[in-house]
Amino acid sequence: MTIHRRIEVTNTTLSSLQVDLYPGAASIDHGSFVDSPAAARNELTSWITLSQRRLDVPDGFSARATVTVAVPKDAAPGEKYAVIWAQVSSGSGRGGVTLINRTGIRAYLAINGANPPVPNLAVSAVTSERAPDGRGVVRVKVRNSGGRALDLTGNLSLSSLSGNLKAGPYEFETGTTLAPGQSATVKVFVTDRLDDGPWNAALDLRSGLFHKTYQAQVTFPQHPGVAAPIAAHPKSTGKRNLFIGFITGSLTLAMLGVTQMIRMSYRRRSAKEGH
C-alpha cells in the first residue's frame, strides 16, 4: 500500500531560507517520543520518500512537499515511528562549527494484522503529596494497555466529599508518550491552596480522540511529604479506535496534527539554545 501526505513549511524569519527535508528514525522510550541523531534510519524511513528534498522559502512565504510511504507486502504487523524533518543550516562559523536548526512532525505507522489493535490505558496508582511551597501535587501512574501509541494529555478535577467545594481542572504535565505495554508517571500541580481533604479526584486522560476517566479519593499530607499510593477506578469505558489521519484497509498512517495539511514554523535560534 502507498500513502501520500502533504506537508507545508512556513518561513517566519526576516530572510530567505533553504530548507532541507528528510525522514529520520524515532522510537518511544521511558515515556518520551525520542528522535535519533541527524538522518538515522529505521524500517519506516526506508519506506519514505519526499517529492522535494530542498525548499527555497522566502520570508513570509510557505512551500509544500509530498511525503510518500510505500509499505511492502511482507511488512510485519506492529507500530513504527519516524520524524519528517525540516532543517536549516547556517554555514560554518568560528572553528568550522555549523549551526543547525530543525523542526519536525511525528509519523506513526500502524500495520494491522487480522484483528486491528485499539487504544486503551490503565491507571495503576495515584499518589498525592505536599510540596515544600505548600502546593498539592498528584502523580498518576499510567500504563498503555492497548495496541496504539498514546500521547497523553488530561486534567484533574477535585471535589469535597459533600460536593459543595470544587477545584480545578488542573492540567497534566505534557510530553508523555507511551508505546504499547509501556508505563510512566505523569504529574499534576494543584495551583490553588487547598486543605488536606479527603477529596474526590476525577482524572480525565486523553490521547487524540481517545478518552478515559478514572476516579480516586486523595488526601494531601498536612506537611511536605508523600502519601501512600492508592488505587483508582475507571469511571467510563472511553472512546476507542478513533483517529485523525488516513485509514484504509488494514493500514493507518497518523501524522500529529488536526488536519492533513500540517504547518511547520521555523524560529531562528541562538547558538546557546542548541538545535
Side-chain angles (χ1 to χ4, degrees):
M1 181 174 289
T2 301
I3 301 173
H4 302 283
R5 283 289 179 274
R6 290 188 300 166
I7 61 173
E8 183 175 83
V9 180
T10 301
N11 180 4
T12 58
T13 68
L14 300 178
S15 59
S16 295
L17 296 176
Q18 286 189 331
V19 182
D20 294 318
L21 302 178
Y22 60 91
S27 61
I28 298 177
D29 188 33
H30 292 91
S32 298
F33 190 96
V34 182
D35 61 273
S36 299
R41 308 282 288 175
N42 63 8
E43 189 175 31
L44 177 52
T45 62
S46 70
W47 302 339
I48 296 175
T49 58
L50 292 106
S51 59
Q52 299 183 72
R53 300 303 297 264
R54 172 166 290 187
L55 300 174
D56 293 314
V57 190
D59 176 44
F61 286 83
S62 300
R64 298 176 181 177
T66 299
V67 180
T68 299
V69 184
V71 183
K73 293 181 179 180
D74 60 350
E79 284 209 332
K80 306 176 191 304
Y81 314 109
V83 181
I84 309 300
W85 289 110
Q87 177 176 298
V88 176
S89 301
S90 66
S92 297
R94 292 183 178 180
V97 175
T98 299
L99 296 180
I100 294 175
N101 296 274
R102 61 178 182 170
T103 185
I105 52 176
R106 302 179 183 186
Y108 297 84
L109 179 67
I111 302 175
N112 299 331
N115 298 308
V118 296
N120 202 4
L121 60 81
V123 174
S124 59
V126 177
T127 305
S128 58
E129 62 181 83
R130 183 75 69 181
D133 61 3
R135 291 188 302 169
V137 181
V138 176
R139 298 178 184 267
V140 184
K141 188 171 183 179
V142 182
R143 179 179 180 272
N144 184 344
S145 57
R148 302 288 191 190
L150 300 176
D151 292 305
L152 288 178
T153 60
N155 59 64
L156 163 72
S157 296
L158 298 172
S159 62
S160 60
L161 298 188
S162 64
N164 296 326
L165 182 62
K166 298 183 183 298
Y170 306 102
E171 297 295 323
F172 287 14
E173 276 193 327
T174 58
T176 299
T177 299
L178 295 176
Q182 293 185 352
S183 299
T185 299
V186 294
K187 290 193 297 185
V188 189
F189 290 96
V190 178
T191 54
D192 298 307
R193 297 281 180 172
L194 302 179
D195 59 30
D196 301 341
W199 297 88
N200 288 321
L203 302 161
D204 185 38
L205 298 109
R206 298 177 180 271
S207 177
L209 297 179
F210 172 75
H211 170 223
K212 197 167 186 178
T213 302
Y214 274 76
Q215 55 190 3
Q217 191 175 104
V218 300
T219 301
F220 296 100
Q222 183 177 5
H223 303 290
V226 181
I230 60 173
H233 306 283
K235 188 176 180 181
S236 64
T237 58
K239 298 178 181 178
R240 296 186 175 187
N241 213 22
L242 297 174
F243 296 94
I244 295 174
F246 177 87
I247 301 179
T248 180
S250 61
L251 182 64
T252 302
L253 174 67
M255 292 289 195
L256 185 65
V258 296
T259 61
Q260 291 189 16
M261 182 63 69
I262 304 172
R263 182 178 299 273
M264 297 189 292
S265 297
Y266 167 76
R267 179 174 66 87
R268 187 175 297 278
R269 300 181 180 181
S270 68
K272 291 183 179 180
E273 292 183 89
H275 67 279

